Amino acid sequence: MVVRVLFVCLGNICRSPMAEGMFRAKVEAAGLGDQIRIDSAATGNWNLGNPPHRGTQQILTKHGIDYSQMRARLIGQEDFADFDYVIGMDGSNMQDLEALKPADSPVVLKKLMDFVAVEETTDVPDPYYTGNFDETERLVSAGCEGLLNAIRERFSL
């Protein structure tokens, strides 16, 4: 069985590709690369085809994570059938995702910060607007760790 995880933010150039890359690194480090498939997408269409933002590139480079194949794409209804988890970054993303999600979809739809035991915030702020990529990195890392633990527990990995 392969568990499929999709990270989603507004433009798919800052938070969701950061989460995709950092989660993939954690999955690989845990030896689960063949059991968990990871991708990211946007709720908005203005960055389609673009690589991650240079701030996200710097964070991923710092962690030795390759982002060369990452390109912004738009989430579609088919993603709710193709993925087991659809993970939004903030409340606005969740509203968009809930509106898109087919009524019969069994997908787990949650915010990334839902996987952090001690929540200091419920949203991952968008560094495109805040400029604070270090804060986003810290929150994304904590959320990815919690998500991986939840998946490992649920699927006995």
Side-chain angles (χ1 to χ4, degrees), residues 15-63:
R15 296 171 292 174
S16 57
M18 186 184 295
E20 176 187 350
M22 293 180 80
F23 189 65
R24 184 172 286 119
K26 290 177 187 300
V27 165
E28 293 290 338
L32 299 171
D34 58 340
Q35 293 176 282
I36 302 176
R37 192 181 99 210
I38 306 145
D39 197 4
S40 63
T43 59
N45 64 6
W46 48 91
N47 288 307
L48 302 184
N50 290 341
H53 185 283
R54 69 184 176 285
T56 292
Q57 290 181 16
Q58 290 170 346
I59 298 292
L60 294 176
T61 298
K62 179 174 82 172
H63 291 280

Coordinates of all heavy atoms in Angstrom, one line a residue, residues 15-63:
R15 N 4.7 27.8 0.6 CA 4.5 26.9 1.7 C 4.3 25.4 1.3 O 4.9 24.5 1.9 CB 3.2 27.3 2.5 CG 3.4 28.7 3.2 CD 2.1 29.2 3.8 NE 1.2 29.5 2.7 CZ -0.1 29.9 2.9 NH1 -0.6 29.9 4.2 NH2 -0.9 30.2 1.9
S16 N 3.5 25.2 0.3 CA 3.2 23.8 -0.1 C 4.4 23.1 -0.7 O 4.7 21.9 -0.4 CB 2.0 23.6 -0.9 OG 2.0 24.3 -2.1
P17 N 5.2 23.8 -1.5 CA 6.4 23.1 -2.0 C 7.5 22.9 -0.9 O 8.2 21.9 -0.9 CB 7.0 24.0 -3.1 CG 6.3 25.3 -3.0 CD 5.0 25.0 -2.3
M18 N 7.5 23.9 0.1 CA 8.4 23.7 1.2 C 8.0 22.4 2.0 O 8.8 21.6 2.4 CB 8.3 24.9 2.1 CG 9.4 24.9 3.3 SD 9.2 26.3 4.4 CE 9.7 27.7 3.4
A19 N 6.7 22.3 2.2 CA 6.2 21.1 2.9 C 6.4 19.9 2.1 O 6.8 18.8 2.7 CB 4.7 21.3 3.2
E20 N 6.2 19.9 0.8 CA 6.4 18.7 0.0 C 7.9 18.3 0.1 O 8.2 17.1 0.4 CB 6.1 19.1 -1.5 CG 6.5 17.9 -2.4 CD 6.4 18.3 -3.9 OE1 5.8 19.4 -4.2 OE2 6.8 17.5 -4.7
G21 N 8.8 19.2 0.0 CA 10.2 18.9 0.1 C 10.7 18.4 1.5 O 11.4 17.4 1.6
M22 N 10.2 19.1 2.5 CA 10.6 18.8 3.9 C 10.0 17.5 4.3 O 10.7 16.6 4.9 CB 10.3 19.9 4.8 CG 11.2 21.2 4.5 SD 10.8 22.5 5.6 CE 11.7 22.0 7.1
F23 N 8.8 17.2 3.9 CA 8.1 16.0 4.2 C 8.8 14.8 3.5 O 9.0 13.8 4.1 CB 6.6 16.0 3.9 CG 5.8 14.9 4.4 CD1 5.7 14.7 5.8 CD2 5.2 14.0 3.6 CE1 4.9 13.6 6.3 CE2 4.4 12.9 4.1 CZ 4.3 12.7 5.4
R24 N 9.1 15.0 2.2 CA 9.8 14.0 1.5 C 11.1 13.6 2.2 O 11.4 12.4 2.3 CB 10.0 14.4 0.0 CG 10.6 13.3 -0.8 CD 10.7 13.7 -2.3 NE 9.4 13.6 -2.9 CZ 8.7 14.6 -3.4 NH1 9.3 15.8 -3.5 NH2 7.5 14.4 -3.9
A25 N 11.8 14.6 2.6 CA 13.1 14.3 3.3 C 12.9 13.5 4.6 O 13.7 12.6 4.9 CB 13.8 15.6 3.6
K26 N 11.9 13.9 5.3 CA 11.6 13.1 6.6 C 11.2 11.7 6.2 O 11.5 10.7 6.9 CB 10.5 13.8 7.4 CG 11.0 15.1 8.0 CD 9.9 15.9 8.7 CE 10.3 17.3 9.2 NZ 11.4 17.3 10.1
V27 N 10.4 11.5 5.2 CA 9.9 10.2 4.8 C 11.1 9.3 4.3 O 11.2 8.2 4.7 CB 8.8 10.3 3.7 CG1 8.6 9.0 2.9 CG2 7.5 10.9 4.2
E28 N 12.0 9.9 3.5 CA 13.2 9.2 3.1 C 14.0 8.8 4.3 O 14.5 7.7 4.3 CB 13.9 10.0 2.1 CG 13.2 10.3 0.7 CD 13.1 9.0 -0.1 OE1 13.9 8.1 0.0 OE2 12.2 9.0 -1.0
A29 N 14.2 9.8 5.2 CA 15.1 9.5 6.4 C 14.5 8.3 7.2 O 15.3 7.6 7.9 CB 15.2 10.8 7.2
A30 N 13.2 8.2 7.2 CA 12.5 7.1 7.9 C 12.5 5.8 7.2 O 12.0 4.8 7.7 CB 11.1 7.6 8.3
G31 N 13.0 5.8 5.9 CA 13.1 4.6 5.1 C 11.7 4.3 4.5 O 11.5 3.1 4.2
L32 N 10.8 5.3 4.4 CA 9.5 5.0 3.9 C 9.2 5.6 2.5 O 8.1 5.7 2.1 CB 8.5 5.6 4.9 CG 8.5 5.0 6.3 CD1 7.6 5.8 7.2 CD2 8.1 3.5 6.3
G33 N 10.3 5.9 1.8 CA 10.1 6.5 0.5 C 9.3 5.7 -0.5 O 8.7 6.3 -1.4
D34 N 9.3 4.4 -0.4 CA 8.5 3.6 -1.3 C 7.1 3.4 -0.8 O 6.3 2.8 -1.5 CB 9.2 2.2 -1.5 CG 9.4 1.5 -0.2 OD1 9.4 2.1 0.9 OD2 9.5 0.2 -0.3
Q35 N 6.7 3.9 0.3 CA 5.4 3.7 0.9 C 4.6 5.0 1.0 O 3.4 4.9 1.3 CB 5.5 3.1 2.3 CG 6.1 1.7 2.2 CD 6.3 1.1 3.6 OE1 7.3 1.4 4.3 NE2 5.4 0.2 4.0
I36 N 5.2 6.1 0.8 CA 4.5 7.4 0.9 C 4.8 8.2 -0.4 O 6.0 8.5 -0.6 CB 4.8 8.2 2.2 CG1 4.5 7.3 3.4 CG2 4.1 9.5 2.2 CD1 4.9 7.9 4.7
R37 N 3.8 8.6 -1.1 CA 3.9 9.5 -2.3 C 3.5 10.9 -1.9 O 2.5 11.1 -1.2 CB 3.0 9.0 -3.4 CG 3.4 9.6 -4.8 CD 2.5 9.1 -5.9 NE 1.4 10.1 -6.1 CZ 0.2 9.9 -6.5 NH1 -0.2 8.6 -6.7 NH2 -0.7 10.8 -6.6
I38 N 4.3 11.9 -2.4 CA 4.1 13.3 -1.9 C 4.0 14.2 -3.1 O 4.8 14.1 -4.1 CB 5.2 13.7 -1.0 CG1 5.4 12.7 0.2 CG2 5.0 15.1 -0.5 CD1 6.8 12.4 0.6
D39 N 3.1 15.2 -3.1 CA 3.0 16.2 -4.1 C 2.5 17.5 -3.4 O 2.2 17.5 -2.3 CB 2.0 15.7 -5.2 CG 2.2 16.5 -6.5 OD1 3.0 17.4 -6.6 OD2 1.4 16.2 -7.4
S40 N 2.4 18.6 -4.2 CA 1.8 19.8 -3.7 C 1.0 20.5 -4.9 O 1.3 20.2 -6.1 CB 2.9 20.7 -3.2 OG 3.8 21.1 -4.2
A41 N 0.1 21.4 -4.5 CA -0.7 22.1 -5.5 C -1.2 23.4 -4.9 O -1.0 23.7 -3.7 CB -1.9 21.2 -5.8
A42 N -1.8 24.2 -5.8 CA -2.3 25.5 -5.4 C -3.8 25.6 -5.5 O -4.5 24.8 -6.2 CB -1.7 26.6 -6.4
T43 N -4.4 26.5 -4.7 CA -5.8 26.8 -4.9 C -6.0 27.9 -5.9 O -7.1 28.1 -6.4 CB -6.5 27.2 -3.6 OG1 -5.8 28.3 -3.0 CG2 -6.4 26.0 -2.6
G44 N -5.0 28.7 -6.1 CA -5.1 29.8 -7.1 C -4.2 29.6 -8.3 O -3.3 28.8 -8.3
N45 N -4.6 30.2 -9.4 CA -3.9 29.8 -10.7 C -2.8 30.8 -11.2 O -2.4 30.6 -12.3 CB -5.0 29.6 -11.8 CG -5.8 30.9 -12.1 OD1 -5.4 32.0 -11.6 ND2 -6.8 30.8 -12.9
W46 N -2.4 31.8 -10.5 CA -1.5 32.8 -11.1 C -0.1 32.4 -11.1 O 0.7 33.1 -11.8 CB -1.7 34.2 -10.4 CG -1.7 34.1 -9.0 CD1 -0.6 34.2 -8.1 CD2 -2.8 33.9 -8.1 NE1 -1.0 34.1 -6.8 CE2 -2.4 33.9 -6.8 CE3 -4.2 33.7 -8.4 CZ2 -3.2 33.7 -5.7 CZ3 -5.0 33.5 -7.3 CH2 -4.5 33.5 -6.0
N47 N 0.4 31.3 -10.5 CA 1.8 30.9 -10.5 C 2.0 29.6 -11.2 O 3.1 29.0 -11.1 CB 2.3 30.8 -9.1 CG 2.5 32.1 -8.4 OD1 3.2 33.0 -8.9 ND2 1.9 32.3 -7.2
L48 N 1.0 29.1 -11.9 CA 1.1 27.8 -12.6 C 2.3 27.7 -13.4 O 2.6 28.5 -14.2 CB -0.2 27.5 -13.4 CG -1.5 27.6 -12.6 CD1 -2.7 27.2 -13.5 CD2 -1.4 26.7 -11.4
G49 N 3.0 26.5 -13.2 CA 4.2 26.3 -14.0 C 5.5 26.9 -13.5 O 6.6 26.6 -13.9
N50 N 5.4 27.7 -12.4 CA 6.5 28.4 -11.9 C 7.2 27.5 -10.8 O 6.6 26.7 -10.2 CB 6.1 29.7 -11.2 CG 5.7 30.8 -12.1 OD1 6.0 30.7 -13.3 ND2 5.0 31.8 -11.7
P51 N 8.6 27.6 -10.7 CA 9.3 26.9 -9.7 C 9.0 27.5 -8.3 O 8.4 28.6 -8.2 CB 10.7 27.1 -10.1 CG 10.8 28.4 -10.8 CD 9.4 28.5 -11.5
P52 N 9.4 26.9 -7.2 CA 9.2 27.5 -5.9 C 9.8 28.9 -5.8 O 10.8 29.2 -6.5 CB 9.9 26.6 -5.0 CG 9.9 25.2 -5.7 CD 10.0 25.6 -7.1
H53 N 9.3 29.8 -5.0 CA 9.8 31.1 -4.7 C 11.2 31.0 -4.2 O 11.6 30.0 -3.5 CB 8.9 31.7 -3.5 CG 9.2 33.1 -3.2 ND1 10.3 33.4 -2.4 CD2 8.5 34.2 -3.5 CE1 10.3 34.8 -2.2 NE2 9.2 35.3 -2.9
R54 N 12.0 32.0 -4.5 CA 13.4 32.0 -4.1 C 13.7 31.8 -2.6 O 14.6 31.1 -2.2 CB 14.2 33.2 -4.6 CG 13.8 34.5 -3.9 CD 14.6 35.7 -4.6 NE 14.2 36.9 -4.0 CZ 13.0 37.5 -4.2 NH1 12.1 37.0 -5.0 NH2 12.7 38.7 -3.6
G55 N 12.7 32.3 -1.8 CA 12.8 32.1 -0.3 C 12.7 30.6 0.1 O 13.4 30.1 0.9
T56 N 11.7 29.9 -0.6 CA 11.5 28.5 -0.4 C 12.7 27.7 -0.9 O 13.2 26.8 -0.3 CB 10.2 28.1 -1.0 OG1 9.1 28.6 -0.3 CG2 10.1 26.5 -1.0
Q57 N 13.2 28.2 -2.1 CA 14.4 27.5 -2.7 C 15.6 27.6 -1.7 O 16.3 26.6 -1.5 CB 14.8 28.2 -4.0 CG 13.8 27.9 -5.1 CD 14.3 28.6 -6.4 OE1 15.5 29.0 -6.6 NE2 13.4 28.7 -7.3
Q58 N 15.8 28.7 -1.0 CA 16.9 28.8 0.0 C 16.7 27.9 1.1 O 17.7 27.3 1.6 CB 17.0 30.3 0.4 CG 17.5 31.2 -0.6 CD 17.3 32.7 -0.2 OE1 16.6 33.1 0.7 NE2 18.0 33.6 -1.0
I59 N 15.5 27.8 1.6 CA 15.2 26.8 2.7 C 15.5 25.4 2.3 O 16.1 24.6 3.0 CB 13.7 27.0 3.3 CG1 13.5 28.4 3.8 CG2 13.4 25.9 4.3 CD1 14.2 28.8 5.0
L60 N 14.9 25.0 1.2 CA 15.1 23.6 0.7 C 16.6 23.3 0.4 O 17.1 22.3 0.8 CB 14.3 23.4 -0.5 CG 12.7 23.4 -0.3 CD1 12.0 23.3 -1.6 CD2 12.3 22.4 0.7
T61 N 17.3 24.3 -0.2 CA 18.7 24.1 -0.4 C 19.5 23.9 0.9 O 20.4 23.1 1.0 CB 19.3 25.3 -1.2 OG1 18.6 25.4 -2.5 CG2 20.8 25.2 -1.4
K62 N 19.1 24.7 1.9 CA 19.8 24.6 3.2 C 19.7 23.2 3.8 O 20.5 22.7 4.4 CB 19.1 25.6 4.2 CG 19.7 25.6 5.6 CD 19.1 26.7 6.4 CE 17.8 26.3 7.0 NZ 17.3 27.2 7.9
H63 N 18.5 22.5 3.5 CA 18.3 21.1 3.9 C 18.8 20.1 2.9 O 18.5 18.9 3.1 CB 16.8 20.9 4.2 CG 16.4 21.7 5.4 ND1 16.6 21.3 6.7 CD2 15.7 22.9 5.5 CE1 16.1 22.2 7.6 NE2 15.5 23.2 6.9

